[in-house]
Amino acid sequence: MKEKLLDKIEKKEIVCGVFGLGYVGLPLAVEKAKAGFKTIGFDVQESKVKLVNDGVNYIGDVVDTELKNLVKEKKLEATTDFSRIKEVDFVAICVPTPLDSHQQPDISYVESSAISISKYLKKDTMVVLESTTYPGTTEDLIKPILEKGSGLKCGKDFYLGFSPERVDPGNAFYKTKNTPKVVGAIGKDATEVIAKMYRSVLGAEIYEVSSPAVAEMEKILENTYRNINIGLVNELAMLCNKMGISLWEVVDAAKTKPYGFQAFYPGPGLGGHCIPLDPYYLDWKAREYGFHTSLIQASGIINDRMPEYCVERAEKVLNDLKIPMNGAKILVLGVAYKNDIDDYRESPALRVIEELEKDKAVVDYYDPMIPEYRYKGKTNKGIKKIDEKIIASYDLIFITCAHSSIDYEMIAKNAKAIFDTRNAMKNIKNRKNIELL
């Protein structure tokens, strides 16, 4: 099997499958097709499948013309027919791994994907989980499902591994193609072959580790590291506010040190598909071993409280103007979880809006990249534009995302008051109406 697959990789005869055509899956499918491998994308959503087959892009990190050309040249197609798994020699599972209402891992999408694949898995196939999950998922959950459903033996009839996705939406430099990739598989042969497959597609370093569990833990470490450091600066932001010190200035000064320090900045909370969620996977798994991840829990408490803390700070800004929160007109600027993208997954802005409305404020939002969003089953529409008159009509401008396309000079000149949680107004000289987190 090893020699057969290595030869097929070399000759570009591998047919690739990608399970899940979202922020991770579609860019990966495009890169595999660009590398010369026939690629089939699988998804349960017919709307996504139709868009792909029509050559219509819906992911920011994919180039529109590349997708259109790959579809036109029949190098890439999408389907909801999972029986076509039997056509592929390599399949990557790139489905969501959210948390449930109790902050525990919801691996139902991974499990259902593995079941679907197992029904049609053929000999000499590579299966790789890319979805972020807790250490042990590949070997303890995926492997038994694939073996039972297919009647095949892992290591003898098919290879199984884990290679954590590394996607940073909106990153101008690092994309799927040039971001280093970690690969850990069950057995040395599997690791070698799967790593070879990724090397034939991506232009970045492929780093091999000894097992899927190491690769799974590595991914959790990446984002737990960020979660904890953001928790640290968020806590210091609260302290610095009491002390009359700008933490933003403190961090900018600290990052002049050329070693031993990496800059992190405070904000209204954590957002995105990884940083707010991944540490909870490790915390949940640690309990199985009677271990409590106290540092992770502490940072989680701090970061989870930030939306409420920011609303409390906003209320003080209004109090200084002798305006009660009840009935105050507030415009929230930006609901994306980071600057210059149209992704609002886990965005803290949604909780900020929710908290403001609980306090009876009259809240609108403006985001040039997100005209509407869904939250807790409800669709919310933003205002279509902002100008001098519109900005002046609100009691408070509450900045939760610093999109570069927004005219902050205009806002500063016309707003009654501004609460800036992202230091979006850093270049504004006249700061009498600006309160910084």
Side-chain angles (χ1 to χ4, degrees), residues 218-237:
E218 177 279 322
K219 173 61 176 179
I220 297 288
L221 173 60
E222 289 178 29
N223 290 313
T224 301
Y225 168 81
R226 295 170 70 189
N227 184 300
I228 288 172
N229 278 282
I230 293 169
L232 171 63
V233 294
N234 277 334
E235 186 166 55
L236 289 179

Side-chain angles (χ1 to χ4, degrees), residues 50 65 103 162 207 243 282 293 299 311 344 346 378 411 422:
K50 185 178 186 306
T65 53
Q103 298 288 68
F162 181 81
Y207 188 87
M243 298 175 72
L282 187 57
T293 56
S299 65
V311 169
Y344 62 85
E346 307 297 327
K378 179 185 174 185
I411 292 169
R422 297 292 191 181

Side-chain angles (χ1 to χ4, degrees), residues 108-352:
S108 59
Y109 298 103
V110 169
E111 189 171 13
S112 63
S113 297
I115 291 170
S116 297
I117 291 168
S118 73
K119 295 175 183 177
Y120 306 103
L121 184 66
K122 70 176 191 297
K123 289 188 68 174
D124 304 333
T125 299
M126 297 168 275
V127 181
V128 180
L129 177 62
E130 289 215 2
S131 305
T132 303
T133 184
Y134 58 85
T137 302
T138 303
E139 293 167 274
D140 299 339
L141 177 71
I142 304 298
K143 179 175 173 281
I145 290 173
L146 294 180
E147 289 185 330
K148 181 179 179 181
S150 67
L152 302 176
K153 185 70 176 174
C154 180
K156 178 185 175 186
D157 301 315
F158 68 92
Y159 288 143
L160 176 61
F162 181 81
S163 183
E165 56 86 3
R166 282 175 169 170
V167 175
D168 186 17
N171 192 310
F173 181 77
Y174 284 110
K175 307 290 184 183
T176 300
K177 176 75 174 177
N178 65 339
T179 301
K181 203 95 165 72
V182 173
V183 172
I186 301 175
K188 290 183 178 179
D189 287 351
T191 302
E192 180 183 343
V193 174
I194 292 170
K196 173 72 173 178
M197 184 65 210
Y198 279 109
R199 287 190 181 100
S200 68
V201 172
L202 306 178
E205 176 190 6
I206 307 300
Y207 188 87
E208 298 174 26
V209 296
S210 60
S211 69
V214 170
E216 289 161 340
M217 179 65 90
E218 177 279 322
K219 173 61 176 179
I220 297 288
L221 173 60
E222 289 178 29
N223 290 313
T224 301
Y225 168 81
R226 295 170 70 189
N227 184 300
I228 288 172
N229 278 282
I230 293 169
L232 171 63
V233 294
N234 277 334
E235 186 166 55
L236 289 179
M238 298 180 200
L239 174 60
C240 283
N241 177 61
K242 289 181 177 294
M243 298 175 72
I245 298 170
S246 168
L247 180 65
W248 301 88
E249 187 178 358
V250 170
V251 173
D252 284 343
K255 73 179 184 182
T256 62
K257 184 180 180 181
Y259 53 87
F261 182 83
Q262 181 180 353
F264 289 85
Y265 294 95
L270 294 178
H273 63 298
C274 284
I275 302 176
L277 308 182
D278 294 0
Y280 287 103
Y281 275 77
L282 187 57
D283 182 54
W284 175 83
K285 187 64 176 178
R287 288 181 226 145
E288 183 181 320
Y289 298 88
F291 188 88
H292 296 280
T293 56
S294 54
L295 194 58
I296 294 174
Q297 292 174 5
S299 65
I301 291 169
I302 295 165
N303 292 327
D304 285 348
R305 186 179 177 273
M306 287 308 292
E308 288 88 347
Y309 172 77
C310 288
V311 169
E312 290 168 10
R313 289 280 302 277
E315 186 171 15
K316 290 179 181 177
V317 173
L318 288 169
N319 282 342
D320 288 343
L321 297 174
K322 296 181 170 52
I323 299 173
M325 178 69 83
N326 189 336
K329 284 190 65 180
I330 299 175
L331 179 65
V332 171
L333 279 186
V335 293
Y337 80 82
K338 64 181 286 192
N339 307 345
D340 299 329
I341 65 171
D342 62 356
D343 190 347
Y344 62 85
R345 288 175 295 172
E346 307 297 327
S347 173
L350 311 188
R351 282 188 54 204
V352 165

Side-chain angles (χ1 to χ4, degrees), residues 324-398:
M325 178 69 83
N326 189 336
K329 284 190 65 180
I330 299 175
L331 179 65
V332 171
L333 279 186
V335 293
Y337 80 82
K338 64 181 286 192
N339 307 345
D340 299 329
I341 65 171
D342 62 356
D343 190 347
Y344 62 85
R345 288 175 295 172
E346 307 297 327
S347 173
L350 311 188
R351 282 188 54 204
V352 165
I353 292 171
E354 183 179 43
E355 291 300 318
L356 289 169
E357 290 178 338
K358 282 181 183 176
D359 289 344
K360 306 295 178 62
V362 179
V363 186
D364 292 319
Y365 88 87
Y366 173 72
D367 190 311
M369 306 188 76
I370 303 175
E372 65 178 46
Y373 68 87
R374 283 190 64 79
Y375 182 62
K376 295 186 176 180
K378 179 185 174 185
T379 299
N380 301 271
K381 295 182 182 294
I383 63 174
K384 295 181 179 180
K385 67 171 185 175
I386 54 173
D387 56 27
E388 293 90 340
K389 186 176 180 181
I390 289 171
I391 292 297
S393 70
Y394 288 93
D395 298 312
L396 177 68
I397 307 300
F398 196 133

